[in-house]
Amino acid sequence: MPAETNLPTNVEAATPEGLERSRAARAALKQVETEPGAKKPDPIVIADNITRTFGGLTAVDVEHVEIQRGVITALIGPNGAGKTTFFNLLTGFDRPDTGSWSFNGTSLNKVPAYKVARMGMVRTFQLTKVLAKLTVLENMRVGATRQRGESFFSAMFAPLWRAEEEANTEKANHLLERFLLIKKREDFAGELSGGQRKLLEMARALMADPELVMLDEPMAGVNPALKQSLLGHVKSLRDEGRTVLFVEHDMDMVRDISDWVIVMAQGKVIAEGPPDSVMGDQRVIDAYLGAHHDTALTFEEEERILAEAEKELEEEAESND
Amino acid sequence: MDFVSLFGDSIQQAIGPTAIVYALAAIGLNIQFGYTGLLNFGQAAFMAVGGYTMAAFVSTWGLSFWLGIVAGLGLTAVLALLLGIPTLRLRADYLAIVTIAAAEIVRQVVGSVSLKDWFGGQDGLQEFSDTFRSYNPFSDRIEVGTLVAWSANDAWVMLVGWTLVLLCCLMTWLLVRSPWGRVLKSIREDEDAVRSLGKNVYSYKMQSLMLGGMFGALAGFCVALRSAAINPSMFATDVTFFAYTVLLIGGAARVLGPVVGSIIFWFLITFLDLFFSQATNPSSGPLIPPSIMTETQASLMRFIFLGLALMLLMIFRPQGIFGDRKELAIDAR
């Protein structure tokens, strides 16, 4: 398991129970066979026969996949593999053509996105969605679920929701501190840099106290230094006992922090396993680089290709004259 | 040039019943457009449904005035539901198209010949204001100095109207500072983000549309009661666009924006109208010679200048009077 790299994680976030649980969950993963659709000892999400087509294109065609509770699972694959679409399907932002999937044993078929989030499965977006004209603190407060002051009639009577609001503000302050945004508390979210937006989105998702955090390309468009810090934050989520599923297409990022990797290509799950075994998998290399990349070209072959290309160029030049 | 009547009449309009009507309509639009980002281009329909329900209850069916008020508010809520159910799941532009069409449908229906028995066709309805006027505490004209004066009926409409405006502003203020209002503002910023945080966006948009529509119904009541008559021409499409202008002048997403916007709008429009009609009046030795502008042309000048003023406002102060420039600049990133 490569998860014990010394990255700057926020130790305060980790709870003893959380650490214990995630350690046990990771240990349990060792027994899992590394085949697509492998059964996990303690799955939090189970998906079966999920398909989604856009016109003639089958974007997602997943036969069976399970996500282990308490670990960091990475969903990787080349561009256009259907990772984000699969993500949207799981979180209720899109509807699959067929299939069934469940969270903690509850079926999520036809459950709208907002209810999925309330169940404890909160996602972020590839292109960050901060609420630009709200302050950072207000962004955080929106994140809390089941607020009394969010119903129309009690909204008008502040005493009904003031205590709750204070508790949420307290919680938001702690999270902002942890995600290094406390100095930006009163700024508009629209003024934050790209990396800070990623942090804010992650922190905001935590306001809902999710059991499963789903991050859609958390490292996209972030500078290398911040990438390290973001990796630390993702790890800290696991260390406080949450399950993390994240989409990424950069394999190096994945190697550092994930406990389990699921590889998608052309809508299908093609491989699964701990990062090291997946990186060496022939199917994965083929998916990323194209098949037959490793048959080295012989000298004769090279000559032949060169000659062909030259001939083509000449013909083109002639026809242009 | 008679400056006393010029300013007097302008002020009279600026705080008179018309300004109240547009302030109320714009408060509704402020909830929908300013806070939630819903493009309702059919505020006139909500006003018409409110006003006509109240008027028809009293003068056509002989029911109580208060019942008419309650039914008017109720039916605008129903109209909001009808318009919202098919469109609020779609992109914002669809609501705009549907509401602008609905406004025309409502206006054509209440003015139609086949429903003349109910709504009085193009002549509309009268004789529904007795109950309202029976509560009028004023018996004489109300004069403030020599500058402005209102009839007893107008004064009563104004007393009730401004009270309503104040109450609506209070309600808006209470709502937008609450977590409920925060969800509305978040929806305006990014719907999907709000959905991902466990809020039922559809329901919030519906609540916003209904609440804004009901503020529109209040404006409809005021339109009808102030002239003790109601007819389809009072609810033409330009009513909605004037209300939007009012909102933008004051500043969208500001509690008092619509009120200040309405006062400024009606002051300017009356002032410009009177100024140009006096300046071109042939009997008093015109300030502007007829070769440049005749009296008939002068009546159109107010809209030209208002349009110009609106353009300048959008260029130099796009956030309106009350808006926060810093907040607006975020869009330009």
Side-chain angles (χ1 to χ4, degrees), chain A residues 4 15-29 68-72 235 237-242 259:
Chain A
E4 307 308 335
T15 56
E17 312 91 72
L19 274 173
E20 187 48 48
R21 251 203 295 164
S22 83
R23 215 164 272 147
R26 274 181 278 163
L29 268 184
Q68 168 76 353
R69 188 192 313 274
V71 302
I72 301 178
K235 231 177 102 182
L237 297 181
R238 179 195 62 193
D239 292 346
E240 57 181 345
R242 300 182 205 279
D259 303 308

Side-chain angles (χ1 to χ4, degrees), chain A residues 121-140:
Chain A
M121 185 168 164
V122 175
R123 70 168 297 181
T124 67
F125 295 87
Q126 185 175 356
L127 301 167
T128 41
K129 290 186 184 294
V130 295
L131 310 165
K133 285 183 201 171
L134 269 64
T135 64
V136 168
L137 184 62
E138 288 284 49
N139 262 271
M140 293 295 288

Side-chain angles (χ1 to χ4, degrees), chain B residues 21-22 25 29 40-49 52 99-111 122 220 223 230-244 266 303:
Chain B
V21 168
Y22 282 88
L29 289 179
N40 170 15
F41 278 134
Q43 189 68 329
F46 292 92
M47 292 166 69
V49 167
Y52 261 98
T99 46
I100 201 166
E104 280 306 284
I105 292 171
V106 168
R107 195 166 63 92
Q108 299 292 343
V109 166
V110 292
Q122 293 298 325
V223 170
I230 193 166
N231 64 59
S233 68
M234 291 169 171
F235 305 102
T237 349
D238 55 358
V239 171
T240 305
F241 294 113
F242 279 6
Y244 264 102
W266 286 102
F303 290 115

